[in-house]
Amino acid sequence: MSFVSTGFLLFLLIGVIVYYFIPKKVQWIWLLFISYFYYATYGIKPMAFIAFTTISTYFGGRLIEKYSNDGANKILKNKPNITSEEKKKIKANTKGNKRKVVLIMLLFNFGILAVLKYFNFGVENINGIMHRLFGIQYTIAGMDLLLPLGISFYTFQSMGYIIDIYQGKYEADKNIFKFALFVSFFPQILQGPIGRYNRLAHQFYEKHYFDLTKIQQGLQLICWGFFKKLVIADRAGIIANQVFDHDDKYAGVIVIVGVLAYCIQLYGDFAGGMDVVMGTAELFDIKIDANFRQPFFSHSISEFWRRWHITLGTWMKDYIFYPFSLSKGMNKFGKFSKKKFGNAIGRVLPICLADLLIFFIVGLWHGASWKFIIYGLYNGFIIAFSGMFQPVYIKMFEITHINAKTRTWRLFQIFRTFVLINIGWYFDRGNSLKDAVYMMYYSVKGFSFSALTDGSLLKLGLDSLQIMILIAACVVWFIVSVLKEKNIEVREAIARRILPIRWAIYIALIISIPLLGTVSAKVGGFIYAQF
Amino acid sequence: MRNFKKILKCIIFAIICCIIFAICDFIFVPSGYVRVILHTLNYSDEKYDCIILGASHGRSAIDPYKLDETLGTNAINLCIPSETMEDSYYLLKESCRNNSPKTVILDLDYQYWYDLAENDFSDAFIYYQLEPSKVKAEYFFHNLLKKDVRISFSRWSNYISDFKGIKDKVSIKLDNGYNDFNIESAVVKGADGPYVGNGFFYRAPGGHGARGFIERRTWNDNKVDNKVVKQFKDIVDYCNANGIKLICVTSTITPAPVLTGTSEASAKYFEKLTEEYGVDYYDFNLLRQDVMPRGNLDFGDWDGHMCGALADKYSSIMASVIKDAQGGSVDRTKYFYNSYAALYEDVNTVVYCQTALSIIKKEDDTYNISFEIDGLSGTRVVPEYQIIVGTATGATVLSEYSKQTKYSFDLPQGTYTIRVNARAVGSTAEYEEYCEKAAVLEQ
């Protein structure tokens, strides 16, 4: 049931009405029911996977907590007689048991994800290596595997929970059904954001009273999301698809236009989807984490990743980056690096390695293909490189007397980051790694601006009116983004206007969706819903 | 009180939005003929007892009045261009709201059994024409829930590019004729002929030769959309449950595309399917030439839309077949060839020729033109082709009639018409089919 389908609209309507009419105590049960109902509309089989993740994570969490409590009780009970040696032993024993459970949980759940998502990719590569390096003609057969929708999102969300329990950040959920709701809450199950238990779960169990203002705000956000998705992203997608799917036909500036169109498509699609998700959650009086914060105003790639797909970034940071970079091995490596390369490089080298690891995983998370791995590593290398050469930059600024705080320099940084990000899209959207490199080469070869004026642009699937609509819609979005960047909350600013102006804005937004939105056979499919 | 005010404001806001949507619908959506037909179906004094369902082939081929003459029925043709099996099912149900049909003739067109585009505005076309009823609600819940929300609630967004047409659309809708459901007030596309009544249009003859390419679609049983089969089953079940006699037919299409073999392959599938469900099926492409002589010119296009004159003959023959069936049994040999092989053998002319030019500029500033001719004819016919090059001043025969199908020759700069005449070897006709291609050879 796509967010833009008629069914979803009706589902939402019924969902919200019933939610506020039933006793507050059972609101979460209704949410759980409609979440599973929503997921079931994509098929019954995938439900087995989400149920497995829910059950295993729930019991895993409980077991970890039990080990913690047992260990603590043991120490408490024998407090007067226990020696510090014995205390240490109990603690080590408890930690060992907890670690075992976490490892099993991670292995099982990420194992399922890995098999379903990456098995065929692995087989393909093994076959390639056997064939090319050893001349072995035997090929391992791939499998026709079902990839449950949203598996990457709910697996990451659940594993975040289990690691937090292990680290003792909060107590494990006592109620399996309440926990099931945390895993399966329908607005975010398909394309995130990746929620955190401590910020999300308690909201489900609170009493929620009908508040018209919140409903209005939720609907506004949904409409704004649809505007980004249907008016901007789907329209830009026509150009992007034309260029990327016929990469042998285009060169020079047209390829660059295609990449920019993809940039708009991806951002509009994902950010629009997130607005619909957040707006939908708001209708149920649930606040979920934002996934975007005007990413194209970033001054560096690392800042971009703090503003783009924020919940994935913070997940990676909390559960991979810190544990990895603070591990004993990396500690030793840091000391070794400091000895070998000096203090400055030695200090940043472990961080660079951690960045590369993170972005390798981010790339792989995007899909089972080398182009995604390269996409991730490309970003990782830039961040690692920037970190490593930070002292050099500072020196260069001193020598050249560049003031890094000036507006011009900041604008240059934003532009530079934008260019670097767009280079990454070649790998992300290219049909293969080879195609991406080929397109990069042809972007430069035979570059001339004449293609912008000789009518070639109008052969990419949009006529001049359509292009004007796209540009105008992007300008509106840009203005809203600038305001948000200046901490002006647009929704609240509109709410303060007099009624006729307020309503005119709302009506214009609503009408613009059918009036200016594009409808195609592929409409409704959100790009990130396939992860 | 404050909450009441807030809610009231929301209601007013929603009403304003609805009014704007209604205005957009009024000014953007053209007035089609289907609403007129459905109004006739629901509000005619005489109730209909024979319903004809199908898509555009059925609309131009089956004259309900001719059926009435032979069968004594009161028939109405509800074949609508792009009507899917799903649409047919709901139109059948709609028919039963105010009529008591005893017979349903369902025209099976293979083009609607696979490769169906999803999420297109045309998916909801019939839905919008139905008046509010249980049938419409059922249609909505069964078919539109998975569709884009704009398809269900703002069909006008499909017509917004036609700004220039707003004035005409509005004036038509403000006309009394529109409110009185007069066909004159409806914009009818693709019927290519006057409206006779009860859903039938009398199509005028089409052109010869320059009708473009036949779309070669390869039928494959495995490609059949299971959804369509399910919807067909729904129609069968509905007819069985309501004591309605269902007769499936495939109306005769233009001879040329029949020779591509797709009709034969699809008919085999339909035969098997209808047999499985215990439904009578008649493939009228197999009609004997002596029973209904026909050529390409009896159809408006290659797709198979029958012209009015042949449609009347065809409808009478169809009625006779049905009458014979009602009488006990149909002597199929009286009407039909026993196989497609026999049909192909009986075609003694070339029925189709087409080509695409490949033009290459040479170093000496002349142009090389090459092409291969694609022809269709009966199995006993050997086709031959004549090539004529036309200029503004006259025409020259470049190649006399021969069996050769590939040609290559050079021409100097200029504007030409390349005409290929085709006929059967041994024929004395100037040509039986032809095609023409323009060749503009300039710097």
Side-chain angles (χ1 to χ4, degrees), chain A residues 166-233:
Chain A
Y166 168 73
Q167 291 174 343
K169 286 187 183 167
Y170 40 79
E171 284 181 8
D173 204 322
K174 302 278 184 294
N175 186 326
I176 190 167
F177 295 108
K178 285 185 175 179
F179 179 71
L181 176 57
F182 164 69
V183 179
S184 65
F185 182 47
F186 79 91
Q188 62 178 94
I189 194 156
L190 291 193
Q191 49 181 336
I194 301 165
R196 294 299 179 89
Y197 182 83
N198 54 336
R199 286 200 292 273
L200 184 61
H202 67 91
Q203 294 187 63
F204 295 137
Y205 324 130
E206 287 165 359
K207 290 177 181 175
H208 298 280
Y209 295 93
F210 181 79
D211 180 349
L212 199 58
T213 312
K214 280 184 183 162
I215 299 284
Q216 283 171 343
Q217 285 181 344
L219 289 174
Q220 286 160 18
L221 206 51
I222 291 173
C223 285
W224 180 234
F226 280 160
F227 179 83
K228 285 185 197 170
K229 161 71 181 160
L230 303 173
V231 180
I232 299 176

Side-chain angles (χ1 to χ4, degrees), chain B residues 186-235:
Chain B
V187 178
V188 185
K189 282 183 181 168
D192 292 337
Y195 182 64
V196 177
N198 282 357
F200 180 65
F201 290 85
Y202 196 92
R203 185 181 279 265
H208 200 343
R211 289 191 278 186
F213 291 89
I214 290 177
E215 194 191 344
R216 304 280 180 117
R217 299 182 75 176
T218 317
W219 176 270
N220 179 345
D221 287 5
N222 299 325
K223 272 169 57 179
V224 170
D225 196 325
N226 288 332
K227 228 171 84 186
V228 183
V229 178
K230 200 231 160 238
Q231 289 148 2
F232 174 74
K233 188 179 174 297
D234 288 345
I235 293 179

